[in-house]
Amino acid sequence: MELRKANLDSLSTESFDVFIVGGGINGSVAAAALSGRGLKVALVDRGDFASSTSMNSSNLAWGGIKYMEAFEFALVRDLCRSRNLLMNSYPSSVREIRFLTTLPRGFRKSLFTVWLGAWLYWIIGNGQTLIPRLFGRREIKATEPIIQTNDCLGGIEYSDAYLYDNDSRFSFNFVRTALDLGCIAANYVESQGAKRENGNWVIDLRDAVSGRIFTSSAKVLINAAGPFADDYNRLISQKTRYHHIFSKGVHLIVRRLTTSGRVLAFFGSDGRLFFIIPMGDRTCIGTTDTLVKHPQVGVEDADVAFILENINSKLALDRPLRRHDVISMRCGVRPLAVEQSDNELSGADFLQLSRKHVIDINKADQHLTVFGGKLTDCINVGNEICSAVRGVGISVPDSVRKWYGEPTKESRAKYFHLASEMGLDNYGKSKFNEALSTRLWRRYGEQAFLMLDKIKQDPWQAEVLIEGTEYRRCELTVTADREMIVKLEDFLRRRSKIAMVTSIEDIRASAGIYEACEILFGLGASEKIEEYFASS
């Protein structure tokens, strides 16, 4: 909390080149990219970082194979290049994964046509992944016996990528990078308005924790509020060419359904791709794709019924999945960028909309709005925002400090050498869990050196703290110092994925949760625990 307090003081006393409202993936990469170019940047979010759309994705970084059917080859090319860039830049975090898509009888395309499409997809993606394979019904059953093949034409296996950790953790790491590059960032800070004065923006702010009201100022204002971008533009009287419509997506987390490590993909009853995604010793199933009017959404009985009905019809399970099998749920909206004239969309039009991003620029007011976007394309978003800021009259240096990607190979080699000397090469490794040394490097980069020091001084620091999870004592102290944890949910749901893969009953029963809260919140631990379970 000391870091957050210091940043609040800086927000109220300093002026900035760029002020960013919204700390999801778009705002986070904007902050990191601009800070990497030497600009003085501020970033706020009215909730926690990555607490809306950026924590409710499918955890996939994919090139948009579904857009092939609509002949959006340019978009697919861009997304494949973005996917490849993420895989190359984050080899520990963004990894290739095989998808096995089965086609039902009577499908709108022949199996051979889809197979050719998968090859074209591979070619468009520069052949960076394993080649596609064509599966017959017998091969599907031999490879994935869990798949129901009675009404199946065959299948196609191809590759895309997935996030080994959760999406909100991946997004927060850009915030952490931005902070290391000099950005002033704070969560739970709401912008209650902004106005132009003497060629600058004056931003009205409220600290949601203390209730304190104050202002900050900047030359450029960026609205990266995700699904709330339209609301914020109305608040500050900004008119734009684009606006958002919203698609609600729901995922359910259940026990691990298959040990193959593939993503199993089907066409759901609404015609959209439907995924079964491995998540350690759990499986993520979904998603829904429902047009909604507002970004504030929740899981409804109909959503759960739709997902369970689809999953039970596609898999040959020993028993059907029921509501009581669901460990946790995730629900959010995809904000889709459309022009202001597109007020009425039919169901077919809505389902065909792409997820491409748009940066709307008001040069006179030095104001930008980021509409839409996908996690896959995040590095491009950061670079494009830098170009847009330059386009509204701000000097943006060409020289760039490293703002994305993992640490250097030399640093990595040094870390794993030290970890090997400490005997951590296989420590904690199991069927679904990687070695502790690998996991710490992937999640924390060079901060993992601090954790090695803690373990060296006290081996107890390498032990699991919260029963049934992977999280060790050494992680909590670094998290408390560097990750601006305000609420217990920030840690359990976003900095980690504990709340996604562990039932609320198991979290409540864990003796380690109290020790974790003491590390994170000190004397306020009991209050934070009560707050979390009261709202769960």
Side-chain angles (χ1 to χ4, degrees):
M1 293 293 284
E2 291 299 319
L3 173 60
R4 183 177 179 275
K5 181 179 181 300
N7 283 357
L8 288 174
D9 291 340
S10 296
L11 286 172
S12 64
T13 58
E14 300 177 19
S15 295
F16 300 90
D17 296 314
V18 180
F19 197 102
I20 303 167
V21 175
I25 187 63
N26 289 336
S28 300
V29 295
L34 290 165
S35 298
R37 286 168 171 82
L39 272 67
K40 192 172 183 181
V41 180
L43 170 69
V44 300
D45 194 293
R46 70 179 184 179
D48 189 26
F49 301 116
S51 58
S52 184
T53 297
S54 297
M55 74 170 188
N56 290 305
S57 77
S58 298
N59 278 17
L60 300 175
W62 62 306
I65 192 171
K66 70 177 182 178
Y67 305 133
M68 298 282 290
E69 189 174 4
F71 305 108
E72 293 190 72
F73 299 125
L75 175 61
V76 174
R77 171 68 172 163
D78 288 344
L79 288 174
C80 281
R81 292 174 67 181
S82 299
R83 177 204 65 193
N84 294 348
L85 179 57
L86 285 181
M87 292 171 66
N88 293 334
S89 302
Y90 296 94
S92 300
S93 302
V94 184
R95 302 180 183 176
E96 179 176 353
I97 192 169
R98 295 298 268 176
F99 284 63
L100 178 57
T101 302
T102 57
L103 274 62
R105 294 185 187 278
F107 188 65
R108 56 186 179 268
K109 303 288 184 181
S110 72
L111 182 62
F112 183 71
T113 298
V114 177
W115 182 55
L116 290 179
W119 271 98
L120 180 57
Y121 185 61
W122 180 78
I123 293 169
I124 288 174
N126 289 344
Q128 182 161 320
T129 60
L130 295 174
I131 63 173
R133 291 180 59 197
L134 180 64
F135 279 55
R137 291 172 58 193
R138 289 184 180 179
E139 191 171 7
I140 290 174
K141 201 64 181 176
T143 305
E144 289 285 356
I146 196 173
I147 296 177
Q148 178 64 258
T149 58
N150 291 342
D151 190 39
C152 173
L153 283 176
I156 308 295
E157 187 184 56
Y158 65 96
S159 290
D160 260 312
Y162 78 113
L163 303 181
Y164 199 98
D165 284 309
N166 46 313
D167 44 7
S168 49
R169 176 78 214 182
F170 187 77
S171 181
F172 175 78
N173 282 342
F174 285 106
V175 178
R176 185 62 260 171
T177 298
L179 288 164
D180 292 340
L181 292 169
C183 175
I184 302 299
N187 49 357
Y188 296 97
V189 175
E190 179 182 7
S191 173
Q192 297 186 317
K195 55 185 177 296
R196 295 284 286 175
E197 289 185 1
N198 302 317
N200 283 330
W201 283 98
V202 177
I203 303 102
D204 299 320
L205 301 170
R206 176 181 177 273
D207 175 10
V209 177
S210 68
R212 173 190 171 198
I213 303 293
F214 60 100
T215 63
S216 193
S217 66
K219 298 172 185 175
V220 177
L221 179 61
I222 297 179
N223 178 354
F228 305 100
D230 294 308
D231 293 340
Y232 190 67
N233 278 338
R234 283 190 286 270
L235 179 65
I236 62 175
S237 302
Q238 284 292 308
K239 294 182 178 181
T240 59
R241 178 180 172 183
Y242 294 87
H243 73 121
H244 279 139
I245 63 169
F246 307 107
S247 167
K248 184 175 82 167
V250 175
H251 296 85
L252 308 182
I253 310 299
V254 298
R255 60 184 169 83
R256 183 75 183 239
L257 299 179
T258 174
T259 60
S260 70
R262 289 185 183 89
V263 174
L264 305 183
F266 308 92
F267 287 89
S269 57
D270 64 352
R272 302 289 296 213
L273 277 172
F274 187 88
F275 298 112
I276 297 171
I277 305 167
M279 185 183 286
D281 61 354
R282 300 287 189 253
T283 294
C284 177
I285 56 176
T287 176
T288 61
D289 209 348
T290 311
L291 184 64
V292 293
K293 293 183 178 180
H294 306 288
Q296 294 93 344
V297 294
V299 180
E300 299 176 5
D301 290 341
D303 300 319
V304 178
F306 170 81
I307 294 174
L308 293 180
E309 179 183 346
N310 272 274
I311 203 74
N312 288 327
S313 69
K314 302 297 183 182
L315 299 184
L317 299 169
D318 52 356
R319 61 177 179 80
L321 289 173
R322 301 299 185 207
R323 180 70 179 252
H324 65 264
D325 294 308
V326 177
I327 297 167
S328 67
M329 307 178 190
R330 50 197 296 166
C331 175
V333 295
R334 309 169 187 90
L336 309 177
V338 296
E339 296 200 43
Q340 293 286 2
S341 57
D342 295 333
N343 291 319
E344 297 295 331
L345 289 168
S346 69
D349 290 336
F350 157 68
L351 291 176
Q352 291 300 316
L353 280 176
S354 70
R355 274 51 173 168
K356 62 184 178 182
H357 66 271
V358 177
I359 300 175
D360 194 288
I361 302 173
N362 182 336
K363 186 174 182 179
D365 285 351
Q366 294 183 303
H367 179 269
L368 312 178
T369 305
V370 188
F371 290 102
K374 292 175 61 65
L375 185 147
T376 306
D377 212 23
C378 63
I379 295 176
N380 286 339
V381 171
N383 287 326
E384 288 175 25
I385 286 175
C386 290
S387 297
V389 168
R390 185 182 289 116
V392 298
I394 302 300
S395 176
V396 181
D398 291 327
S399 59
V400 181
R401 294 171 63 190
K402 184 178 176 65
W403 69 270
Y404 67 86
E406 295 183 8
T408 64
K409 292 181 180 179
E410 292 76 15
S411 182
R412 184 183 189 280
K414 180 180 178 181
Y415 167 82
F416 280 101
H417 176 72
L418 291 173
S420 178
E421 287 185 334
M422 294 171 62
L424 299 179
D425 295 51
N426 293 299
Y427 188 88
K429 193 171 185 178
S430 65
K431 185 175 183 180
F432 295 120
N433 295 325
E434 61 200 341
L436 175 60
S437 57
T438 302
R439 181 176 166 278
L440 293 180
W441 176 259
R442 189 191 68 254
R443 289 179 58 82
Y444 304 102
E446 292 186 331
Q447 295 304 309
F449 282 103
L450 298 177
M451 299 176 197
L452 291 187
D453 287 341
K454 291 179 180 298
I455 294 170
K456 194 171 185 178
Q457 295 170 19
D458 179 7
W460 195 51
Q461 291 290 320
E463 298 301 312
V464 170
L465 177 57
I466 302 173
E467 297 88 336
T469 76
E470 302 173 305
Y471 292 85
R472 315 300 170 121
R473 285 180 173 82
C474 61
E475 296 180 68
L476 270 295
T477 52
V478 173
T479 296
D481 290 341
R482 292 177 52 83
E483 298 191 357
M484 279 190 267
I485 306 296
V486 175
K487 300 182 178 182
L488 182 55
E489 182 191 9
D490 302 340
F491 171 68
L492 292 178
R493 177 63 179 83
R494 288 178 285 277
R495 306 300 184 273
S496 77
K497 57 184 178 184
I498 292 173
M500 278 193 293
V501 299
T502 309
S503 70
I504 188 68
E505 293 79 14
D506 287 344
I507 293 174
R508 191 192 303 270
S510 168
I513 193 67
Y514 295 92
E515 183 182 341
C517 282
E518 289 175 350
I519 296 172
L520 292 171
F521 306 114
L523 296 176
S526 296
E527 179 184 345
K528 296 296 184 179
I529 289 176
E530 292 175 7
E531 175 190 57
Y532 178 75
F533 288 116
S535 62
S536 298

